[in-house]
Amino acid sequence: MKFTDGFIEVDGCRTHLRRGGSGQPLLYLHGASGAPAIMPFMEQLAARFDVLVPEHPGYGLSDEPEWLENIHDAAYFYLDFLKRLNLQKAVLVGSSMGGWMALEMAVRDTSRIKSLVLVGPAGISAPGVQPADIFLMPPEEVIRSLFDDPRLAEQRLAEPATPESLDIALKNRHTTARLAWEPRLHDPFLPKWLHRIDVPVKIIWGAEDRILPVAFTKEFSRLMPKAEIHIIAGCGHLPQLEKPDAFCEIVCR
Amino acid sequence: MQIILFHLMPYADLDLEAGRKNGTVWVRLPNRHFDPEKGHRLYNRYLDELEHAERLGFDAVSVNEHHQTAYGLMPSPIVTASALARRTQRVRIAILGSALPLREHPLMVAEEHAMIDVISGGRLISGFVRGIGAEYHTFGVNPTFSHERFHEAHDLIVRAWTEPGPFPFQGKHYNVQYVNLWPRPYQKPHPPIWIPSQGSKETIDWASHPDRRYTYLQTFSPARVVQRYLKLYRDTCSGYGYEAQDSQLGWAVPVYVANTDEEARREAKPHFEAFRNVFVKMPLEMLLPPGYTSRESLKNVMKAKAQMFGDVTIDQAVELGLFVCGSGKTVLKAFEGYWNDMRFGNLLVLCQFGTLPAELTRKNMEFFAREVMPRLKPL
């Protein structure tokens, strides 16, 4: 499946966007480590959907707009993004930080959203459950904690670093801190408004997630009782990379 | 030259092996390693040392702020500076500095500093810092907003000290309907402001600006790095169209003086190496969280990582000018040489470092005061 690769401007932010496939629009919202390449799960989804893979403002090749100061700014940006591309009935698939963005969008306005698929989403706190301290861990340890299968982490670590990839890693890390340092990876005011989400929600979680432990699902099901919860065994924080078939099957189901 | 005795008040009774095994004494060293009875003795010993500095003829004594670490036991320098304000008569008292972005409300800083200035009859030197990277981890304050919180807090404090109240302050991080400081500071227009830094162009551009002309202190860096940044400060002043006074420049450095070079190195060695290789040490991610520095500076540190994060022996430290150590004659000669190259008007000497015990600290202070200080002051 061929993905186009270009830029669009939304809210004054030159935004890197890859797009491929056809069908209903599916907006993939990446997590803290960005979306540097088209991955197999995106290709699989493109057989069914018109898949849009932007890099968030402040990440990858996209601009770093001055107005981006918190997660709400990112949510308003993506609501404008849906409008700018005139996307209707979009499926939002958000991983980790991207799942948090999808929630923040959907409590504000679901008029262009058909459903949400949240993959190990950040966004809420849960009593007694602590996310990994991704800012204090050395980058290699963060990567090792992303996957249940150590071979996947070793593959990722073996990818050669270039000056450009280092710049992007530091840029992504900066924006993640800006949006999620404090309160750490959540918005304490979000739970009050989750009832406004009036579209179907699926939550997918790796049973062995060492970044955001699977115990978060308990709090999500309390806050969003209608959400479908899918826990994938033998899988870490990124089911879309670690178990792409099971992941795509749940998205398409 | 003004000579200032600078104290970090480390937890000198630290189980060094526990510190080493933990990789750092910052953020995550379990506080079961702190014994309050030992802490009681240390605080009182350290305050005695600072008070003794007045009798020895130092121009000022200095305290600073660090949080949740064995490196320094002064989460509030306000407490130690307050104690010193009542127990000293002549020396200036420097708070170097208060970590503005970590404080919930800058008006509290303005008030506390003003109180110490009034109690001491105008002997306060105010210092402002952002806090070090580790403290953004301990406090949860977002490091990517550190600079703007610092600048806004600074503006509020200086206006609170100088403008007739009540007046409103409208900022992004701080909004106050009635700024109306009681007490106002003793010194006019306000206590001198010093800016300690590990070296940053942004800080130098800001501190040296003609509206501020704040004294810039380079802290605990190799001498050639100190020289580079002090020169950058002077050049930046020239760029602004004025010549920097020597009094706008300072250097903070650990010092040890004894009868002979050999005696000095032998006595200082375990304590300096504990300071440099246990108390100071922390991983890169802790030292420089995202946004604390520019990404360019962060990349430069990553390149120098091996050198910055590896162990340093006392001999290497003396060679680098990270530490000035020897007989009175040697130390005097070293400082005269550095002064000729850099012309700093303020020298902050750290006479207690790491595990250096009370008797060696006293001995060091007395040697320095007798054999080095009198010859440096006229410079």
Side-chain angles (χ1 to χ4, degrees):
Chain A
M1 186 67 62
K2 184 141 175 52
F3 276 69
T4 60
D5 190 326
F7 288 86
I8 62 160
E9 195 169 308
V10 180
D11 295 332
C13 175
R14 190 168 180 266
T15 308
H16 185 215
L17 175 64
R18 298 186 184 90
R19 189 170 186 173
S22 60
Q24 204 180 346
L26 182 151
L27 176 63
Y28 176 71
L29 299 170
H30 64 72
S33 48
I38 292 301
M39 305 305 289
F41 81 91
M42 297 172 187
E43 307 252 1
Q44 277 188 51
L45 292 173
R48 261 277 298 273
F49 295 95
D50 169 16
V51 176
L52 295 99
V53 184
E55 289 187 297
H56 307 324
Y59 286 83
L61 302 178
S62 295
D63 278 353
E64 292 182 87
E66 291 219 347
W67 51 254
L68 184 72
E69 297 185 295
N70 57 53
I71 202 79
H72 306 150
D73 297 324
Y76 287 116
F77 166 85
Y78 275 115
L79 290 170
D80 285 353
F81 177 98
L82 295 179
K83 200 163 160 190
R84 164 84 169 69
L85 291 172
N86 194 24
L87 301 176
Q88 307 282 353
K89 297 190 174 155
V91 177
L92 303 191
V93 178
S95 168
S96 193
M97 289 261 299
W100 182 10
M101 285 178 199
L103 286 166
E104 295 280 359
M105 291 167 73
V107 296
R108 286 167 172 75
D109 179 9
T110 52
S111 62
R112 291 173 182 273
I113 298 173
K114 177 162 183 282
S115 63
L116 304 185
V117 181
L118 309 171
V119 192
I124 64 165
S125 65
V129 189
Q130 199 61 36
D133 190 351
I134 54 173
F135 297 111
L136 203 47
M137 291 155 78
E140 309 77 46
E141 194 186 332
V142 174
I143 289 171
R144 291 206 169 89
S145 304
L146 284 174
F147 301 97
D148 184 44
D149 181 349
R151 286 170 305 177
L152 292 175
E154 293 313 317
Q155 271 171 29
R156 172 82 66 102
L157 288 167
E159 287 166 16
T162 62
E164 293 74 24
S165 70
L166 175 65
D167 281 340
I168 285 177
L170 294 177
K171 176 178 176 179
N172 292 354
R173 192 172 160 79
H174 183 101
T175 305
T176 302
R178 196 141 179 99
L179 304 181
W181 184 278
E182 199 275 326
R184 185 59 58 89
L185 288 166
H186 76 282
D187 170 1
F189 305 107
L190 177 61
K192 283 192 284 192
W193 302 107
L194 288 173
H195 66 270
R196 285 175 47 87
I197 300 179
D198 53 1
V199 296
V201 178
K202 292 175 192 170
I203 297 177
I204 304 176
W205 222 293
E208 310 303 329
D209 191 333
R210 300 206 298 280
I211 301 288
L212 293 168
V214 69
F216 271 105
T217 52
K218 216 173 127 195
E219 187 66 359
F220 269 110
S221 38
R222 191 181 72 80
L223 294 167
M224 306 175 78
K226 282 190 269 180
E228 270 179 41
I229 308 238
H230 302 266
I231 293 172
I232 301 183
C235 181
H237 186 55
L238 303 171
Q240 66 273 42
L241 302 186
E242 192 152 11
K243 301 280 179 191
D245 293 341
F247 169 81
C248 290
E249 194 269 320
I250 297 166
V251 175
C252 295
R253 193 187 292 169
Chain B
M1 189 191 294
Q2 273 204 100
I3 315 261
I4 298 119
L5 182 78
F6 183 37
H7 218 305
L8 291 171
M9 300 197 176
Y11 186 60
D13 288 317
L14 180 70
D15 172 354
L16 292 177
E17 214 30 61
R20 263 193 213 100
K21 249 170 81 182
N22 191 64
T24 177
V25 306
W26 294 79
V27 185
R28 290 188 298 202
L29 179 68
N31 65 1
R32 66 181 157 81
H33 292 290
F34 176 80
D35 175 341
E37 284 177 22
K38 289 178 178 168
H40 168 74
R41 286 192 290 275
L42 282 174
Y43 274 124
N44 286 288
R45 170 196 147 191
Y46 291 157
L47 285 164
D48 288 346
E49 287 167 5
L50 285 161
E51 289 166 22
H52 188 49
E54 178 165 80
R55 293 189 287 277
L56 293 176
F58 283 84
D59 298 300
V61 290
S62 166
V63 293
N64 81 344
E65 174 175 335
H66 284 298
H67 297 272
Q68 301 194 174
T69 173
Y71 172 87
L73 295 177
M74 283 187 281
S76 171
I78 305 299
V79 173
T80 41
S82 305
L84 292 166
R86 286 285 299 164
R87 296 276 297 173
T88 59
Q89 280 72 48
R90 181 190 55 78
V91 279
R92 307 209 71 169
I93 298 161
I95 297 177
L96 300 172
S98 279
L100 302 186
L102 303 181
R103 295 292 296 264
E104 199 56 42
H105 209 305
L107 272 187
M108 283 286 289
V109 180
E111 291 170 339
E112 291 163 350
H113 283 229
M115 278 178 75
I116 295 170
D117 198 39
V118 174
I119 290 170
S120 67
R123 290 187 284 133
L124 179 70
I125 295 168
S126 280
F128 299 146
V129 294
R130 291 190 295 126
I132 71 159
E135 286 151 353
Y136 287 78
H137 289 282
T138 49
F139 270 55
V141 171
N142 192 324
T144 72
F145 292 96
S146 156
H147 279 106
E148 62 180 58
R149 272 171 77 96
F150 176 84
H151 288 135
E152 198 176 306
H154 160 270
D155 294 349
L156 173 52
I157 291 167
V158 172
R159 286 188 58 193
W161 279 347
T162 53
E163 289 181 26
F167 65 88
F169 181 89
Q170 296 168 317
K172 179 174 163 190
H173 299 278
Y174 311 105
N175 278 278
V176 188
Q177 186 89 28
Y178 306 104
V179 180
N180 192 23
L181 222 60
W182 288 76
R184 291 189 288 123
Y186 191 92
Q187 297 176 79
K188 304 263 178 305
H190 58 72
I193 295 173
W194 290 13
I195 305 295
S197 170
Q198 289 267 57
S200 126
K201 186 180 179 311
E202 295 92 331
T203 301
I204 287 174
D205 286 347
W206 179 82
S208 64
H209 189 277
D211 292 350
R212 288 177 281 272
R213 303 187 190 212
Y214 295 158
T215 295
Y216 174 83
L217 301 181
Q218 184 74 26
T219 58
F220 196 50
S221 314
R224 65 178 168 78
V225 175
V226 180
Q227 186 170 2
R228 190 197 318 145
Y229 282 109
L230 296 191
K231 180 174 183 308
L232 179 63
Y233 186 100
R234 285 189 190 276
D235 294 346
T236 310
C237 294
S238 307
Y240 283 132
Y242 78 97
E243 195 184 331
Q245 308 277 313
D246 291 357
S247 62
Q248 281 173 264
L249 301 171
W251 179 21
V253 61
V255 173
Y256 193 82
V257 192
N259 280 301
T260 64
D261 289 353
E262 187 279 326
E263 181 182 292
R265 295 239 182 160
R266 177 166 42 78
E267 288 177 351
K269 183 177 169 68
H271 311 294
F272 177 82
E273 290 178 0
F275 168 64
R276 173 58 182 73
N277 301 331
V278 180
F279 286 87
V280 170
K281 200 166 263 189
M282 67 181 81
L284 177 67
E285 289 72 26
M286 194 179 276
L287 181 67
L288 298 174
Y292 181 78
T293 52
S294 70
R295 296 207 290 269
E296 279 316 303
S297 315
L298 179 54
K299 281 201 288 187
N300 290 335
V301 174
M302 288 163 78
K303 274 184 224 151
K305 193 173 166 179
Q307 190 202 335
M308 279 185 64
F309 292 83
D311 280 2
V312 172
T313 64
I314 190 173
D315 296 336
Q316 291 166 324
V318 171
E319 183 67 29
L320 287 165
L322 260 180
F323 181 40
V324 182
C325 178
S327 67
K329 209 169 141 196
T330 300
V331 169
L332 179 64
K333 194 164 154 247
F335 277 125
E336 282 171 342
Y338 290 134
W339 183 82
N340 276 324
D341 294 338
M342 303 186 222
R343 304 272 161 165
F344 42 86
N346 302 287
L347 177 65
L348 289 87
V349 290
L350 189 69
C351 287
Q352 194 287 335
F353 38 80
T355 49
L356 193 71
E359 56 283 14
L360 292 183
T361 303
R362 288 270 172 158
K363 177 181 167 191
N364 182 24
M365 285 169 64
E366 281 161 14
F367 263 103
F368 180 84
R370 194 171 59 235
E371 298 190 7
V372 183
M373 188 156 71
R375 304 274 296 276
L376 291 180
K377 279 196 177 189
L379 294 179

